[in-house]
Structures are given as C-alpha cells and as structure tokens.
Amino acid sequence: MDIIKLKNSILAANPNADSTILEDLCNLTQKYQLKWVPNKDGGSAYFVMSHLSKVKGLDLDDYKSHWVKLTECGERTSSESLSGRGFKLEGEKLATFKKNWQEMWGESLGRINSIWVGDWTHAYSYLTQGTTQAAKDFQTLGAKAIGSSIKKDIEELTAPIIKVDRTLIYNSGYSKEEHLQRDLCYLAAHSPYKLSAEISVEDYPGSRTQHRRFDLVHVQPHKSKGKVVTTYELKKDIITLEDLVMAVEAKRYPDLIKLKYGTSNIKLIMVAPFGGTEEALVRCQQYDDVEIWTVRKLSLFLLEKARKYHPTDSYFVDKMLVEDNDTVKKLLTIPQLPQEESKVLHFPTKKLAA
C-alpha cells in the first residue's frame, strides 16, 4: 500500500499531526508491511493491535492481556499508559470495519466476535513499548527522525556559519530548568496524567551524594505489571552524549528508579527543547529503558492526555489551551537559534568509553 496514502489519510483528519511521529510510523509501516484502514470519512488510520503484537514478536493477545484494563463495571478499556485511543469493536462497528478491511486489502479478518484496534498514535505508542527488534527499530527511526527534524528546522532558520557557541543554545531555550518543569506540570494538570516533581531517592552507598532527585515522575497502575514508572529528566537546552552517559551509567538513574519503586517496568526519558545531539541519540539506542525526547514531543503527549480528558470540549483544548495560552504555546514551539549563528550543532565532549 502506498505510504503516501497513509500519510495523506492521517493528515486529512489531523492536519496538525506531529511530523516526526508521522514519518516514523510511515517508515515502520513500509518496513513491516503493516496494514491499516481509514475511518468512514476516509481519514486517519486504524491498526489491528494483535497484528502489531505479531510484528513485535509477541503473543497475539499481548495487547489485550497487558495494555487493556477492566473498569469498575467490568468493561475492558484501553490503557492510559499508551497515547492515542484504542477501541474494542463488536457488532455493527466490527462488521463495518471488516467490510472496509476486505475492500482495502482483499482479504477477510475471519470469523471473529470482537477485535481491538488503535488509531495511528495508539499504534505508534504500542510499537515503542518493550525491547523486541521491531520496537528497537521503531525507536531508532524515532531518534533519527527527531535529529533530522531539529537539524532541518535549524538549517531553515540560520545562516551557514561554521560554529555555534553553546551559550546561544542556552539563550534559545529556557533560562532555568525549573521554569520548564513548572510549565510541563501546568500542562499535565489539565488531565489525570499526574507528574510529581523533585522526587528524592537515596543514592548508592559510597556515592558522593546522599540523595538524587528526579525532575518529574509519573506512576501508572497496571493490571499485570503492578505499575509502570516513567521518569522525565529535564535539560533547558540540549542533551549531549556526556549528559546521557552521566545520567545512565555514572549516576545509574534507571537502577535507582527500579529500587525506589520496586519494579523493573520503568522508563527514563530525557527531555530538552532541542532534544539530543546526534551522538547522544545514537548512544541512547544501547539502553533498553532510556529515550530522548524534545520538549515539543512531551508537550504533544500531554496535550493528547488533556484532549482525552475533555472529549466534548475541543474549543477549550484547541483554542483556549493551545492558541491562547502563552505557556503552552512556548512548550509546543521548537526554539529558534539567532539567524546570524551556525546551523551546525557541535559540542565538544569528554572522551567516553564505547
């Protein structure tokens, strides 16, 4: 299936769709020959979640077993740990979906009574979970796309001078990490996705410090895993290779998080306005539980949580929160370097072990 058709279908329903996520999903769809169908209006894209489980090398029931939760009424709903929306189709809705699938792909989904499907952002989120080769491939595509996106934006906005002074990066992002932390907590407060700030943990015996503090932490109860812990470490400008290695290998943040919360189901996400340098993004692929995001990517994630929390009040989310709120607008805007400076992001770092 033509990838251009997938992209156009998503953009038809989501004209402001995040270009990085969209490109990632298109690349993975092409590589793994993922199948999808649009909605009844010919827009967006919906994937069969069990098909994605198979691509990841997992049991076909992995999504239903681990990412769907029971409500108080006994109904099964898609987990809030994943972005986007998942749906259980039955009856007429299932019949319509099966008909669209048959028309688009020329094949039947078989005699089934129900099926779980996810929109394109839900599929994206599910594919990034775990350590299977497909998940790692997707995360690698994501890192490259983010790096390319940042580089493209900077190249378009800056003149071709040879070197960048890091102080210019400082001045182009946030003046203090505390301000970035405050703004992200503000956005998160518009949904049930709770971010706790400055969580203190005891450091390892013999360390030079008694405690370490994590900038932002989200703890999500999980039916089979007990809980899933996501920790966000913030930088006010850009994440270098040295920043990454110090956090993961020297300070051992992932291990400290596991000890603090008594679970191996953790994720350390390092966040900065400019994301990470090329060296940091490449090195990050060596760590199973670590990712690098731009502030904009995290903000879009939090905005989607707010949108799901206000399903019938799109005016509040899209107008009052996004267009009219200076705090949220800053979070969603990739910072710009002064035009007289370089388009090359080069930061000398100490030599680190491979």
Side-chain angles (χ1 to χ4, degrees):
M1 178 62 64
D2 193 347
I3 295 303
I4 295 178
K5 186 173 182 179
L6 171 60
K7 183 182 296 187
N8 290 340
S9 181
I10 292 174
L11 289 175
N14 307 272
N16 297 319
D18 183 274
S19 59
T20 297
I21 296 176
L22 183 55
E23 288 297 330
D24 289 350
L25 186 61
C26 287
N27 289 334
L28 198 68
T29 298
Q30 186 173 45
K31 179 174 181 178
Y32 287 95
Q33 298 182 332
L34 303 180
K35 296 180 180 179
W36 58 278
V37 293
N39 60 23
K40 63 181 180 180
D41 299 319
S44 196
Y46 295 88
F47 295 77
V48 175
M49 301 309 292
S50 60
H51 292 181
L52 303 187
S53 299
K54 182 178 180 180
V55 166
K56 294 176 67 174
L58 302 173
D59 185 86
L60 291 179
D61 290 330
D62 176 76
Y63 173 81
K64 184 171 65 176
S65 300
H66 298 107
W67 296 101
V68 171
K69 63 182 180 180
L70 286 174
T71 66
E72 294 180 355
C73 300
E75 298 177 348
R76 298 178 73 85
T77 63
S78 180
S79 170
E80 291 185 1
S81 297
L82 300 176
S83 61
R85 299 182 65 188
F87 310 86
K88 184 180 181 181
L89 301 182
E90 299 175 297
E92 293 183 4
K93 291 183 178 179
L94 174 61
T96 300
F97 186 86
K98 291 175 66 175
K99 179 182 178 181
N100 292 342
W101 189 276
Q102 176 78 43
E103 292 175 351
M104 186 162 181
W105 297 104
E107 63 183 35
S108 172
L109 286 173
R111 300 181 66 178
I112 53 177
N113 296 321
S114 65
I115 193 172
W116 278 95
V117 302
D119 63 17
W120 67 283
T121 52
H122 200 67
Y124 170 95
S125 185
Y126 178 63
L127 285 168
T128 64
Q129 306 298 321
T131 59
T132 63
Q133 187 57 48
K136 288 184 177 180
D137 283 351
F138 189 82
Q139 292 161 8
T140 300
L141 286 169
K144 290 179 178 177
I146 291 170
S148 299
S149 175
I150 294 170
K151 183 178 180 182
K152 180 181 178 182
D153 287 328
I154 292 173
E155 286 179 347
E156 290 177 351
L157 293 167
T158 58
I161 300 177
I162 297 175
K163 188 178 180 181
V164 148
D165 187 327
R166 182 159 186 164
T167 58
L168 292 171
I169 303 295
Y170 286 150
N171 295 333
S172 300
Y174 278 76
S175 59
K176 293 182 179 180
E177 288 170 12
E178 292 87 346
H179 295 169
L180 174 57
Q181 182 186 61
R182 174 201 62 202
D183 289 355
L184 289 168
C185 286
Y186 171 80
L187 179 55
H190 290 83
S191 78
Y193 190 85
K194 182 181 179 182
L195 290 177
S196 300
E198 298 299 327
I199 299 299
S200 179
V201 300
E202 290 187 8
D203 206 351
Y204 290 104
S207 298
R208 290 182 295 177
T209 60
Q210 291 185 327
H211 296 85
R212 297 286 184 189
R213 285 185 300 276
F214 301 127
D215 294 331
L216 295 171
V217 176
H218 173 75
V219 180
Q220 176 71 44
H222 194 282
K223 181 181 177 182
S224 60
K225 299 179 181 180
K227 56 189 168 187
V228 177
V229 180
T230 305
T231 301
Y232 300 96
E233 280 300 298
L234 310 178
K235 292 289 181 182
K236 64 182 181 180
D237 50 8
I238 195 167
I239 297 159
T240 66
L241 175 60
E242 186 175 358
D243 293 330
L244 175 67
V245 174
M246 284 294 292
V248 178
E249 299 182 19
K251 298 178 181 179
R252 299 167 64 187
Y253 277 176
D255 295 331
L256 284 175
I257 300 168
K258 293 174 183 178
L259 287 174
K260 165 72 175 178
Y261 291 97
T263 179
S264 60
N265 302 308
I266 67 101
K267 180 75 72 175
L268 172 64
I269 301 179
M270 302 188 70
V271 183
F274 287 95
T277 62
E278 181 180 357
E279 295 86 355
L281 292 168
V282 171
R283 182 61 168 262
C284 190
Q285 303 314 303
Q286 299 181 19
Y287 308 124
D288 290 335
D289 301 322
V290 183
E291 297 179 14
I292 294 176
W293 287 14
T294 62
V295 168
R296 183 171 182 270
K297 181 174 181 178
L298 175 54
S299 301
L300 287 168
F301 172 79
L302 296 176
L303 189 62
E304 180 63 23
K305 296 295 184 185
R307 184 171 283 109
K308 289 174 66 175
Y309 189 56
H310 301 273
T312 61
D313 194 356
S314 59
Y315 179 84
F316 170 73
V317 177
D318 297 329
K319 176 62 176 175
M320 297 177 64
L321 195 57
V322 175
E323 293 185 19
D324 298 339
N325 191 303
D326 290 339
T327 297
V328 176
K329 281 197 294 186
K330 182 174 182 180
L331 287 171
L332 293 173
T333 302
I334 295 177
Q336 301 179 4
L337 291 175
Q339 293 192 10
E340 67 273 12
E341 298 302 331
S342 171
K343 64 179 179 180
V344 181
L345 291 179
H346 172 69
F347 302 115
T349 57
K350 297 178 182 178
K351 188 174 183 181
L352 298 167

